[in-house]
Amino acid sequence: MKPNTTPNAASGTTKAARGSRGSASGKAGAASGKTGAASGKTGTPSVMASASARSNVVIRKIKTGVAGLDEVLGGGLPEFSFNIIAGSPGCGKTTLAHQIMFENATPQKPALYFTVLGEPPIKMLRYQQQFSFFDQAKLDKSVRFVNLSDMVLRSDLGAVLAEIIKVVEEVGPSVVVVDSFRTVVRKAQSMNNGPGSGGSGGSGGSGGEVELQGFVQTLALHLTSWQATTFLIGEYTDGELRDNPVFTVADGLFWLYQSTERNSIVRKLQVMKCRGQETVPGLHTFRTTGDGLQVFPRTFGLTAPSDKKRSTHRHSTGVPELDTMLGGGIAAGQSVLLAGPSGSGKTILGTHFIAEGLKTGEPGVIAVFEELPNQYVARATKMGFKLDEARKNGTLEVIYLRPLDLSVDETVNEIVTAVKRVKAKRVVIDSLVGFELALAPGFRADFRESLYRMIVALTRLGVTVISTVEVEEDFTSLGLSNYAISFLSDTIIRLRYVSLDGQLRRMLMVVKMRSGKHSIDTREYEITSKGVVIGERLRGYQALTTGIPGPWGWGPARDAGPTEGASRRGQGASRRGRGRDLE
Amino acid sequence: MAAISPASRSLARRLLAIELSRARKSSASPAEVPVPPAARVCDKLRAVLITFAGVAGFRSLLTRALTLAAARAPELKGVTANPDASLAGLDGVIGGKKKAAAQEWEEVLVAQLLDLLVMFVGEGLMHQMVRQAWPDLPVGPLRSKTEDKS
């Protein structure tokens, strides 16, 4: 067993207890009086106790071995708890139980895995050993599989119970799993419904229910007194939750869901019940990879203490004239929205920003959704940005997120993990449109909330974030983005095509900046082989922001006939989702 | 039909030799009809495997091994698996046959069972199961990859 405690906690006294209360050895000290004292970090005392009673029992928390799950559980699983893992077939119940088992089993305190009538054990071993957590060396000495299927078929419920108790008493395990417990329940029901059974004949017959409840109670009592943390695995539907006595007896109830949204599969976990724990409520998405389950807590990045320090430092964008327009650069720890139409140079400006950081020793992360990292880097290299070198020396990560069924939490997790890995100071998200497409359809409906969570999680880490967003050009107004998300951005830089003197030219402007004064100029810029080069302020025109300006003194731009270039582009322009109109 | 791997053949030979030797030592009198070594090997594997796979699970594996083995050694067609997953009829098949032929059939049967285990649960777990059944086997690889290549 590996309780998520320090050695002191294991002996019944936490560091916090000694520090804050000086309670007698062996007594449970209240770790600041909050169950959340267990931060889920290794080595943190994770003992729950009421602040008001020093002699309360110490409930230790054991690690689940599932990334993100301990955070959802409020620090780990309560030791000696009696839990149910429920869900439909194929949603990951067995894998979850195996992860917990392999995490905690030792030769001194082994784990017992009883298989009843479910997945044939040989096949289960065949598939489970594909996961990285499956440690063959632990089999037999630390992890033992016991097959009860013959007994379930042959004997009554009492014999099954007796066998479980017998083996548990012999082995003295730390973790016990019964998979699939549903079969045991059906056995109980069939016994009561069978001819001559004297049962009521219905699945809800009182005889069957009482016997089943008795079985569960006895099993729970025995396993608890044998100091084992227990898991019953079963295939249940939501509707069964009300009537089944098993759920009443259980200390913990973990429900796994698997839903199809258009062509995407989304898996979610809910901790419906966890006695004595301050869990994170709600549905948390999870993914099954070669490492097993990984849970993405829905509060990921939003609850941890902020690393953001007040800083007056400004990051250069890598384009000197843009820095000037921004009053010296982008304020550290802020979020910038780079909005513009296709081909306007958003990606290149993002690359400038990252490359400049790398030059000054600030690691970066680029999250790309629309092209592969190697393509992105190759294009940057052609322009003279040395991203490849930075990737090799570990100061830059270019991560590709495009599986089309991502959850927001998963995306945030990927980016935040990369930020922490390279100790990034700068992040570019290219682009928000790609991000939206990468999400499973169900999450796209809450895209604004998703962006909020992502930007907040990143800026709380103190990194400076540039997000690019494609804006469909409109020749009568100046949209900032299609998402109405400008409230999330401290700074907005707008790139725009403009029709001037029979040419389709580019201009940029700083629309908003929370951290100080910024230029109000509209500046022309060019995309050269070396990147973005900003030119002079565009003078002598009116209605520049419409994209079809005219000279001062000329009639209102909107009344003028469109220029050649504007006409061509205007035909394809859509008004879909137009954002805030500046004009 | 896939060939039996040389490594499984070699391991089967070792296990059969161990069990033959033990059967001789434990035999009360020379007149006593010894349990065939292959039956002893299967029985030891059975004891380990039914713990987690159940009687039905092991019986299905053994039945498959018998089918595959009988395709190579038709004399084994008379051998079956009892409801408790022990072997039935092996002594009748090999009794009175030439020693070399009997050894070959037993080897085919055990090797086929080992091959099935490798196929389903992998080399590593098969080794663990064999070591559980024969804890005194010398430390070191039970099946060498070179044998499979040969």
Side-chain angles (χ1 to χ4, degrees), chain A residues 16 52 71 78 146 158 162 205 289 299-300 306 323 355 358 435 471 496 511:
Chain A
S52 59
E71 190 178 329
V146 181
T289 67
T299 50
F300 181 81
S306 173
D323 290 344
L358 294 171
F435 174 36
V471 179
R496 196 175 200 329
V511 175

Side-chain angles (χ1 to χ4, degrees), chain A residues 121 126 129 136 139 147 150, chain B residues 51 55 119-121 125 128:
Chain A
R126 176 178 170 80
Q129 66 180 278
Q136 286 190 0
L139 285 185
N147 191 290
D150 299 320
Chain B
T51 314
V55 173
M119 191 182 299
F120 284 117
V121 298
L125 285 187
Q128 287 206 12

Side-chain angles (χ1 to χ4, degrees), chain A residues 264-324:
Chain A
S264 300
I265 295 286
V266 176
R267 288 173 164 175
K268 291 178 183 173
L269 173 143
Q270 185 182 8
V271 179
M272 295 184 123
K273 176 180 179 181
C274 196
R275 286 193 177 121
Q277 294 274 97
E278 198 173 307
T279 59
V280 181
L283 291 164
H284 309 275
T285 49
F286 70 93
R287 185 173 282 275
T288 306
T289 67
D291 294 328
L293 266 67
Q294 183 178 4
V295 178
F296 305 100
R298 55 193 290 271
T299 50
F300 181 81
L302 303 180
T303 51
S306 173
D307 296 345
K308 197 172 181 175
K309 294 181 183 76
R310 290 181 74 84
S311 168
T312 51
H313 176 67
R314 285 184 177 271
H315 291 300
S316 168
T317 60
V319 181
E321 296 80 6
L322 183 56
D323 290 344
T324 307

Side-chain angles (χ1 to χ4, degrees), chain A residues 13-291:
Chain A
T13 312
T14 66
K15 277 183 187 173
R18 285 182 287 116
S20 63
R21 299 186 176 277
S23 61
S25 174
K27 304 235 172 157
S32 72
K34 290 179 182 175
T35 55
S39 65
K41 288 179 185 169
T42 308
T44 306
S46 54
V47 176
M48 296 189 312
S50 159
S52 59
R54 292 180 193 180
S55 58
N56 280 3
V57 67
V58 177
I59 299 178
R60 301 196 299 176
K61 296 173 185 175
I62 63 168
K63 285 182 188 174
T64 59
V66 178
L69 184 55
D70 290 348
E71 190 178 329
V72 170
L73 290 168
L77 272 167
E79 196 177 25
F80 312 145
S81 56
F82 185 76
N83 307 286
I84 291 175
I85 301 172
S88 56
C91 62
K93 302 182 295 296
T94 300
T95 305
L96 173 59
H98 274 225
Q99 264 178 283
I100 296 170
M101 193 169 66
F102 276 96
E103 175 69 22
N104 291 289
T106 64
Q108 294 73 35
K109 294 293 280 178
L112 274 175
Y113 197 99
F114 291 98
T115 50
V116 190
L117 289 177
E119 186 182 359
I122 285 184
K123 285 180 84 178
M124 184 180 68
L125 283 185
R126 176 178 170 80
Y127 295 121
Q128 289 294 319
Q129 66 180 278
Q130 309 304 319
F131 291 111
S132 62
F133 63 78
F134 191 98
D135 181 0
Q136 286 190 0
K138 282 195 166 186
L139 285 185
D140 189 43
K141 286 194 172 63
S142 302
V143 174
R144 298 184 195 179
F145 290 90
V146 181
N147 191 290
L148 293 177
S149 54
D150 299 320
M151 181 158 278
V152 170
L153 290 171
R154 210 173 51 226
S155 316
D156 63 13
L157 222 49
V160 174
L161 182 62
E163 180 65 16
I164 292 175
I165 291 169
K166 187 185 123 210
V167 179
V168 167
E169 288 182 1
E170 277 171 13
V171 174
S174 59
V175 175
V176 175
V177 181
V178 182
D179 182 10
S180 150
F181 187 71
R182 175 88 197 225
T183 319
V184 178
V185 175
R186 283 187 176 141
K187 173 80 178 173
Q189 289 168 345
S190 68
M191 280 162 50
N192 281 279
N193 297 335
S197 66
S200 62
S203 61
S206 60
E209 200 169 300
V210 168
E211 181 171 2
L212 180 61
Q213 191 140 15
F215 175 84
V216 174
Q217 287 275 17
T218 314
L219 183 63
L221 278 171
H222 272 276
L223 293 175
T224 306
S225 57
W226 276 90
Q227 297 169 288
T229 308
T230 318
F231 301 88
L232 306 183
I233 300 176
E235 289 166 6
Y236 295 100
T237 58
D238 300 0
E240 292 171 273
L241 195 58
R242 274 174 305 171
D243 304 325
N244 201 317
V246 176
F247 300 122
T248 314
V249 175
D251 301 313
L253 179 52
F254 312 116
W255 213 282
L256 308 185
Y257 302 90
Q258 182 171 253
S259 61
T260 307
E261 289 167 359
R262 296 194 193 166
N263 295 325
S264 300
I265 295 286
V266 176
R267 288 173 164 175
K268 291 178 183 173
L269 173 143
Q270 185 182 8
V271 179
M272 295 184 123
K273 176 180 179 181
C274 196
R275 286 193 177 121
Q277 294 274 97
E278 198 173 307
T279 59
V280 181
L283 291 164
H284 309 275
T285 49
F286 70 93
R287 185 173 282 275
T288 306
T289 67
D291 294 328

